[in-house]
């Protein structure tokens, strides 16, 4: 995240009648409910989202609609389209924010910490701990790879990948090829755990 000092004189127009688009994802086998809110403040929209998402019992995302006709597009404000498969670090981050909001609400209500499709969320990043796998909002925050029933070769490669970055220290630069190796291991994890968990590649950082 970057923060820059701004000057109010660097803008040439204002719009007090925005159009917001809200996406509510009721269940894995149901289409998203998509609603536009026009001529309202974002505060009013967020209040309505709380009701529509039933206090985060449903995943949701929010965008600002810009342009008209074929020029219409979306500026994502919270999350993004959950029905789209992430293709880069930014999209994975936005998906993760949606999931964290949903899972935290489930944990707060004492419900199983799983996604709407019943799967767990396993986060993959090196946190200088005993494992590079994590599961938020659970008692077992750091996940032992052996507990997931993974292939032995995959566990060894995962541990070696994690040790490589730990050896460089908290402030050190990642070893050459570390990101590419991590993405390769993540794809193997994703495929092996697909029936029971979604694996998020959180080591794939957003630039800046």
């Amino acid at each position: 995240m970057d923060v820059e000092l701004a000057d109010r004189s660097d803008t040439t127009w204002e719009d007090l009648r925005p159009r917001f688009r809200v996406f509510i994802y009721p269940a894995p086998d149901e289409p998203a409910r998509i609603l536009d809110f026009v001529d309202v403040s974002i505060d009013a929209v967020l209040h309505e989202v709380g009701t529509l998402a039933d206090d985060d019992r449903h995943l949701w995302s929010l965008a600002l609609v810009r342009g008209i006709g074929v020029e219409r597009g979306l500026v994502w404000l919270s999350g993004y389209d959950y029905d789209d498969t992430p293709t880069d670090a930014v999209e994975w981050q936005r998906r993760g924010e949606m999931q964290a909001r949903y899972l935290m609400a489930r944990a707060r209500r004492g419900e199983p910490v799983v996604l709407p499709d019943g799967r767990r969320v396993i986060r993959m990043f090196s946190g200088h701990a005993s494992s590079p796998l994590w599961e938020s909002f659970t008692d077992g925050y750091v996940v032992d790879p052996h507990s997931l029933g993974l292939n032995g070769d995959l566990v060894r490669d995962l541990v070696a990948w994690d040790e490589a970055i730990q050896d460089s220290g908290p402030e050190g630069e990642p070893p050459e090829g570390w990101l590419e190796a991590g993405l390769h291991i993540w794809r193997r994890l994703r495929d092996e755990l697909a029936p029971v968990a979604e694996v998020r590649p959180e080591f794939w950082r957003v630039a800046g």
Side-chain angles (χ1 to χ4, degrees):
M1 178 177 67
D2 293 326
V3 180
E4 300 177 355
L5 190 64
D7 184 342
R8 71 176 64 190
S9 66
D10 67 358
T11 56
T12 59
W13 60 271
E14 296 179 357
D15 184 358
L16 292 176
R17 305 183 64 186
R19 175 183 291 266
F20 297 100
R21 183 160 296 178
V22 173
F23 295 71
I24 306 292
Y25 303 88
D29 56 348
E30 297 180 27
R33 186 182 181 192
I34 305 173
L35 302 169
D36 276 7
F37 291 80
V38 186
D39 296 348
V40 294
S41 70
I42 192 169
D43 303 274
V45 174
L46 289 173
H47 177 76
E48 292 299 320
V49 166
T51 301
L52 292 167
D54 195 10
D55 292 327
D56 290 322
R57 284 179 171 82
H58 303 302
L59 292 160
W60 61 269
S61 55
L62 171 65
L64 178 67
V65 182
R66 299 294 305 274
I68 58 175
V70 296
E71 299 297 325
R72 175 165 286 186
L74 300 177
V75 178
W76 288 104
L77 303 177
S78 181
Y80 92 123
D81 193 341
Y82 198 77
D83 288 333
D84 288 347
T85 301
T87 59
D88 60 30
V90 174
E91 292 176 357
W92 273 111
Q93 181 186 65
R94 294 301 188 90
R95 185 178 181 87
E97 291 167 356
M98 294 173 68
Q99 291 175 336
R101 183 166 56 211
Y102 174 83
L103 295 174
M104 181 169 60
R106 288 186 64 89
R108 188 171 59 244
R109 293 191 295 266
E111 299 170 354
V113 184
V114 294
L115 295 172
D117 61 7
R119 296 190 302 162
R120 300 159 62 184
V121 171
I122 302 297
R123 304 162 61 200
M124 178 181 169
F125 65 93
S126 184
H128 299 279
S130 59
S131 168
L133 302 181
W134 312 73
E135 188 172 14
S136 296
F137 315 115
T138 66
D139 293 334
Y141 182 41
V142 180
V143 179
D144 181 353
H146 296 92
S147 70
L148 298 173
L150 297 170
N151 175 280
D153 289 340
L154 177 52
V155 172
R156 283 191 292 272
D157 291 346
L158 176 67
V159 170
W161 171 82
D162 186 43
E163 289 176 345
I165 191 66
Q166 293 203 38
D167 289 344
S168 66
E171 305 300 326
E173 289 294 321
E176 184 177 354
W178 182 80
L179 175 60
E180 292 74 14
L183 288 171
H184 178 66
I185 293 169
W186 162 69
R187 293 185 186 99
R188 293 162 62 193
L189 277 170
R190 176 197 62 191
D191 294 344
E192 279 207 27
L193 294 177
V196 297
E198 177 171 302
V199 183
R200 287 207 311 257
E202 294 196 5
F203 61 91
W204 194 5
R205 301 294 186 183
V206 177

